[in-house]
Amino acid sequence: MLEIADTIELERPQDKLIRRLCTTLSGYLDPAQIDQCVRAYEVGAKAHEGQFRKSGEAYICHPVSVAISLAEMRMDVHGIMAAILHDVIEDTPLSKKELAAQFGAEVAELVDGVTKLSKIDSKSQAETQAENVRKMFLAMAKDLRVIIVKLADRLHNMQTLGVMPAAKKRRIARETLDIYAPIANRLGMNSIRQKLEALSFEAMYPMRHAVLNNAVKKARGNRRKIVDIIESTIKNRLEQACLNCDVAGREKNLYSIYKKMLNKKISLADVFDVYAFRIFCDDVDTCYRVLGVMHNLYKPIPGRFKDYIALPKANGYQSLHSILMGPYGVPIEVQIRTHEMHRMSESGIAAHWLYKSDDDKIEKFQDRANEWLRDLLEIQKSAGDSLEFIDNLKVDLFPQEVFVFTPQGAIIKLPRGATIIDFAYAVHTDVGNACVSARIDKQLVPLQTKLENGVTVEVITASWARPNPLWLNYVVTAKARSGIRNYLKHFKQQEAINLGRRLLEKELQAMHLHLENISKDKIQALLQVMSKQSLDELLEDIGLGNKMPFLVAKRIAQDDINATIKLDDGDQAQRKPLIIKGTEGMIITLAKCCRPIPGDSIIGYFNPGKGIVVHHHECRNSAIRKKQTNWLDVEWSQDAAGDFPVEIRIEILNQRGSLATVASTISEQNSNIENVTVVDQDDRISVDLITLTVKDRVHLAKIMRRLKELSIVLKITRVKA
């Protein structure tokens, strides 16, 4: 009876899987290391005892299946053990400390890196997912095996997705397509990427997948004859040239066909119009000789050749790509690479464990992956939250490269559509922060210029320059986006602190006090009442308009900080106006409704979270002034300088050339036109609103006087609201 029970016991799925794992491991690990993996299995099986997957099988089957995938990649013993135990911290009472005690710190760190953050205080599922991915990348930076384990885990989850509800399937498939497949691609793991994409496509769009799959099977049968003719022609020509190479027709996977149809809005027939072949050579020299033979056999299509051997992709992929015009007028896509390049393109970073012999190549691959991770770490440090990090990561995961040169001849690799600003940040964050313009091949160009392959870019910087929020509209790299956001965030914060200090000092002076003379104890008590951690935090709140400087000053002036603030009638009279130049930056802004300029009588409003908005005294919006604590007396500084926008309403005779005459007159007075809007027009008169730049009221008066002298101008007034 015992023997029968043992036989039944041996037939459990988990027993079959652990036997299969041990058989695979015996191909490259020694018996002592295999025993360690078996011990990890025993601990994992005990920890997961009583837990089952949706399919009904014991939960331990999942981590063992993940370990088998990694064993096929020849992952080291610690990686295999981490795969077997990767869910124990998340799903069982076993802690990281206990794991470290039993299997060592290395395994415990790997498991912790793969483990989700189970108890995040987050507002949404998107934030939870973003925080998990962020944590995984931090763990990846310490050890790349974390992501290899995670990708194998995700692959097995996708393979066993069948029993899940439809909505959950779609959500997991979307996450896989958005994050995990691109990561596999970025790390050069083409084989895993294709499997993840195929499974995600089927889970997200089962009907589309089925229809496309049937159509591809039918189309493949019709194409077989042409494929055979082209393949034999290529082989014969290579033999005549005494080149020993392997030739294989390349199958397009369903998801890449679907994407091509979707993005290019073409039919399946058009996608299948291109016949794809791979030619495998023994060395790089032969690859280029084969390219010459192919270009002699079939005519190349101009502009459709890519040399990824001399200039590898960001993920280390190397190959020669060329599109040729084949027999019967059909296009042929040829990819020429060495056997080693093909192995690397399929396995990517995992080649470190698979092909120990190619040490130099693997080293380059590792360096490239680590460089990418270092960039991501730099981005994550400056990202405000996890969702911003994910946003930056997605930008970074979908590159189509262009190669440009620095003036010294160094090659900088950027995504397609990258601008001068992206290039500047790729050189160095400080260069990006200070760039003002650039030269492309010695020709001066604006910052938003998109870069093309092979150009030489020289960035022009200035000490006074700083990033503009508008740059975010046309940068494409995560590094540039993150650098701009980070600078603006800290710049605005510093501006707010400086303005807050000025405002508080001004109010205190009216009360015959000075901030530096206030005792530390009183400041500490004030911060406690205001629920602030530091004086800078309070000053920033004042600068942003969240706290009124007058009320804060009144509280400081009181003997008892905690007492209710009492306002006297004489308070307002004592307050001195704040002196502004109008060029302070993001914290002091000039209202667009009335566009105040130097020389105008002005008033400031606190706009919570944004700072002070300056209005013309006669602006209709300044009626809000009734609220004593919400407004502030401001005056123009004597040395206010710069170009300030102002709006004028002008009635002119509607005849040919009238607007041109007005424009040239404004230009003669050293003013620029920013915008012209036609408000009303009939056969005789045109009423226009013109936004122009002036130095001050005197400058505006000169322009208006000069315009009134024109015979075509009937009436001219300044718009103040």
Side-chain angles (χ1 to χ4, degrees):
M1 284 297 289
L2 186 64
E3 285 176 13
I4 294 168
D6 283 349
T7 310
I8 294 165
E9 187 72 358
L10 280 173
E11 290 307 306
R12 294 184 310 172
Q14 56 264 48
D15 295 324
K16 286 182 182 177
L17 288 168
I18 193 66
R19 279 205 309 274
R20 185 176 151 201
L21 175 62
C22 291
T23 306
T24 310
L25 293 175
S26 62
Y28 69 98
L29 291 184
D30 59 49
Q33 290 176 320
I34 295 173
D35 288 343
Q36 282 180 280
C37 295
V38 172
R39 191 162 65 86
Y41 164 74
E42 287 165 356
V43 170
K46 190 177 178 184
H48 288 296
E49 199 170 358
Q51 294 180 354
F52 297 91
R53 304 196 86 208
K54 293 259 185 187
S55 58
E57 66 181 5
Y59 194 89
I60 192 65
C61 293
H62 164 64
V64 177
S65 300
V66 172
I68 289 168
S69 292
L70 296 175
E72 286 165 359
M73 296 181 201
R74 295 177 172 249
M75 176 63 81
D76 66 349
V77 62
H78 294 117
I80 298 294
M81 289 162 74
I84 295 169
L85 298 164
H86 80 263
D87 277 331
V88 294
I89 294 178
E90 185 182 351
D91 296 335
T92 77
L94 212 62
S95 69
K96 180 183 174 182
K97 199 173 178 181
E98 289 171 298
L99 273 187
Q102 291 192 61
F103 302 104
E106 193 175 342
V107 172
E109 285 295 335
L110 282 170
V111 173
D112 186 52
V114 181
T115 302
K116 289 195 189 84
L117 299 178
S118 51
K119 293 175 183 173
I120 306 173
D121 181 21
S122 63
K123 295 171 188 168
S124 66
Q125 190 173 32
E127 279 190 15
T128 307
Q129 176 199 347
E131 193 56 52
N132 285 329
V133 174
R134 187 176 188 163
K135 184 197 178 203
M136 184 179 69
F137 269 92
L138 290 173
M140 266 172 75
K142 293 180 193 167
D143 195 328
L144 273 165
R145 286 173 295 181
V146 168
I147 194 59
I148 311 290
V149 174
K150 189 64 192 173
L151 288 172
D153 169 45
R154 181 50 62 121
L155 181 59
H156 186 254
N157 280 334
M158 292 304 299
Q159 287 165 339
T160 54
L161 209 56
V163 291
M164 292 283 182
K168 195 168 185 182
K169 271 191 198 177
R170 282 194 296 274
R171 181 177 63 75
I172 294 170
R174 169 51 60 203
E175 184 184 36
T176 305
L177 282 177
D178 281 354
I179 304 290
Y180 293 98
I183 288 173
N185 180 51
R186 196 65 177 71
L187 296 174
M189 300 170 74
N190 203 39
S191 176
I192 284 187
R193 174 186 66 84
Q194 288 185 345
K195 288 174 186 172
L196 288 173
E197 285 179 345
L199 292 164
S200 300
F201 177 43
E202 189 173 2
M204 277 193 75
Y205 307 112
M207 291 297 290
R208 295 181 201 187
H209 180 274
V211 169
L212 200 55
N213 195 25
N214 291 334
V216 166
K217 279 178 183 171
K218 284 180 188 171
R220 197 176 285 140
N222 303 336
R223 291 154 51 91
R224 195 66 253 172
K225 190 178 176 185
I226 296 176
V227 170
D228 290 344
I229 291 169
I230 296 171
E231 199 172 311
S232 61
T233 308
I234 291 172
K235 283 178 179 173
N236 290 339
R237 182 57 68 92
L238 291 173
E239 281 172 19
Q240 288 169 19
C242 302
L243 294 168
N244 183 27
C245 303
D246 297 326
V247 182
R250 184 170 72 86
E251 287 289 320
K252 287 182 184 290
N253 67 63
L254 281 185
Y255 182 65
S256 72
I257 291 171
Y258 172 72
K259 267 204 313 188
K260 209 164 203 175
M261 289 170 67
L262 204 64
N263 296 341
K264 296 193 174 179
K265 296 181 171 57
I266 54 177
S267 67
L268 178 67
D270 292 326
V271 177
F272 254 58
D273 204 27
V274 180
Y275 292 76
F277 296 89
R278 278 192 182 132
I279 302 172
F280 305 103
C281 312
D282 293 328
D283 53 54
V284 173
D285 186 50
T286 309
C287 291
Y288 286 100
R289 288 171 63 201
V290 167
L291 179 70
V293 170
M294 293 308 301
H295 282 188
N296 274 325
L297 175 61
Y298 299 122
K299 289 281 174 270
I301 296 173
R304 301 300 299 275
F305 167 67
K306 297 270 192 327
D307 186 344
Y308 293 122
I309 292 179
L311 296 168
K313 286 188 177 182
N315 62 8
Y317 174 88
Q318 287 185 290
S319 186
L320 296 174
H321 289 197
S322 192
I323 308 274
L324 316 167
M325 190 51 73
Y328 319 111
V330 297
I332 302 169
E333 183 189 10
V334 179
Q335 296 179 357
I336 306 163
R337 61 181 73 162
T338 65
H339 294 286
E340 184 191 313
M341 285 171 191
H342 182 62
R343 287 202 305 268
M344 295 288 277
S345 79
E346 292 298 295
S347 308
I349 201 71
H352 176 66
W353 294 279
L354 268 170
Y355 311 113
K356 294 283 187 186
S357 56
D358 306 325
D359 281 340
D360 287 348
K361 289 276 181 189
I362 301 301
E363 201 104 341
K364 283 182 187 172
F365 228 99
Q366 289 273 43
D367 288 347
R368 198 174 267 116
N370 285 323
E371 188 186 332
W372 175 56
L373 285 171
R374 276 196 301 275
D375 284 348
L376 279 181
L377 275 182
E378 194 181 320
I379 287 163
Q380 88 85 26
K381 280 176 193 167
S382 57
D385 55 31
S386 299
L387 290 174
E388 187 181 320
F389 173 67
I390 286 291
D391 182 34
N392 289 333
L393 175 65
K394 284 180 181 177
V395 169
D396 204 64
L397 285 174
F398 295 95
Q400 285 182 304
E401 292 91 356
V402 292
F403 298 90
V404 295
F405 296 91
T406 67
Q408 291 75 35
I411 296 175
I412 300 274
K413 193 184 294 183
L414 292 163
R416 191 163 296 285
T419 61
I420 301 289
I421 300 167
D422 292 299
F423 174 86
Y425 277 98
V427 172
H428 197 279
T429 305
D430 290 344
V431 175
N433 287 341
C435 63
V436 286
S437 66
R439 290 187 183 91
I440 290 183
D441 294 336
K442 299 187 178 175
Q443 296 291 313
L444 211 59
V445 292
L447 287 174
Q448 59 265 45
T449 307
K450 288 187 179 178
L451 299 172
E452 293 176 7
N453 264 320
V455 297
T456 300
V457 184
E458 181 191 350
V459 178
I460 299 166
T461 60
S463 56
W464 50 263
R466 63 174 183 241
N468 187 320
L470 292 173
W471 289 1
L472 291 168
N473 295 333
Y474 44 79
V475 294
V476 298
T477 59
K479 190 173 181 184
R481 191 174 295 277
S482 174
I484 295 163
R485 279 177 177 165
N486 189 40
Y487 185 92
L488 292 173
K489 186 163 56 185
H490 286 96
F491 180 74
K492 186 176 181 182
Q493 185 181 32
Q494 198 51 53
E495 266 197 340
I497 291 168
N498 293 341
L499 177 63
R501 188 178 292 278
R502 279 178 64 198
L503 291 167
L504 188 56
E505 283 280 17
K506 183 180 76 69
E507 299 295 352
L508 286 171
Q509 279 171 17
M511 299 169 190
H512 310 293
L513 295 171
H514 291 282
L515 188 58
E516 60 266 27
N517 297 337
I518 309 295
S519 69
K520 285 186 179 177
D521 291 342
K522 196 158 194 177
I523 293 288
Q524 207 52 50
L526 175 71
L527 294 175
Q528 206 168 344
V529 169
M530 297 284 189
S531 305
K532 298 294 170 193
Q533 299 297 317
S534 66
L535 182 59
D536 274 359
E537 195 181 330
L538 175 60
L539 294 175
E540 185 187 346
D541 246 16
I542 293 170
L544 289 171
N546 298 328
K547 294 267 186 292
M548 295 302 121
F550 172 63
L551 299 179
V552 175
K554 279 292 285 181
R555 193 173 283 281
I556 292 171
Q558 290 179 170
D559 294 330
D560 182 6
I561 288 276
N562 294 292
T564 308
I565 301 168
K566 293 174 184 175
L567 298 176
D568 302 325
D569 293 337
D571 280 336
Q572 190 56 40
Q574 293 172 11
R575 295 167 71 184
K576 292 180 182 177
L578 177 74
I579 307 300
I580 66 157
K581 290 185 178 180
T583 52
E584 280 81 358
M586 293 185 276
I587 300 302
I588 295 180
T589 52
L590 303 178
K592 289 185 178 176
C593 52
C594 53
R595 298 191 186 276
I597 56 175
D600 283 341
S601 174
I602 51 177
I603 186 167
Y605 281 92
F606 282 107
N607 192 349
K610 293 183 180 176
I612 296 172
V613 182
V614 179
H615 287 266
H616 192 287
H617 224 286
E618 294 174 21
C619 175
R620 288 196 205 120
N621 291 337
S622 64
I624 314 163
R625 188 172 170 171
K626 289 168 189 168
K627 248 192 177 180
Q628 178 175 300
T629 54
N630 252 29
W631 64 269
L632 175 76
D633 277 334
V634 286
E635 281 182 9
W636 288 104
S637 166
Q638 293 296 318
D639 55 351
D643 289 322
F644 298 88
V646 67
E647 198 168 50
I648 58 171
R649 183 179 185 275
I650 187 166
E651 291 181 22
I652 54 174
L653 294 174
N654 189 9
Q655 50 188 253
R656 189 175 296 173
S658 288
L659 201 55
T661 306
V662 168
S664 64
T665 305
I666 290 171
S667 180
E668 282 166 15
Q669 300 302 310
N670 297 319
S671 177
N672 237 352
I673 293 178
E674 284 190 354
N675 188 43
V676 177
T677 307
V678 178
V679 179
D680 195 12
Q681 198 174 46
D682 58 26
D683 292 342
R684 202 175 71 83
I685 296 171
S686 174
V687 179
D688 304 335
L689 287 178
I690 301 175
T691 307
L692 58 144
T693 57
V694 297
K695 305 290 181 195
D696 50 31
R697 268 173 74 93
V698 176
H699 188 196
L700 175 63
K702 280 182 184 174
I703 294 169
M704 290 176 74
R705 202 177 301 122
R706 183 71 191 88
L707 287 170
K708 280 178 184 174
E709 290 169 5
L710 299 175
S711 59
I712 54 169
V713 174
L714 305 175
K715 189 179 179 183
I716 182 167
T717 52
R718 177 182 170 189
V719 179
K720 290 180 186 172

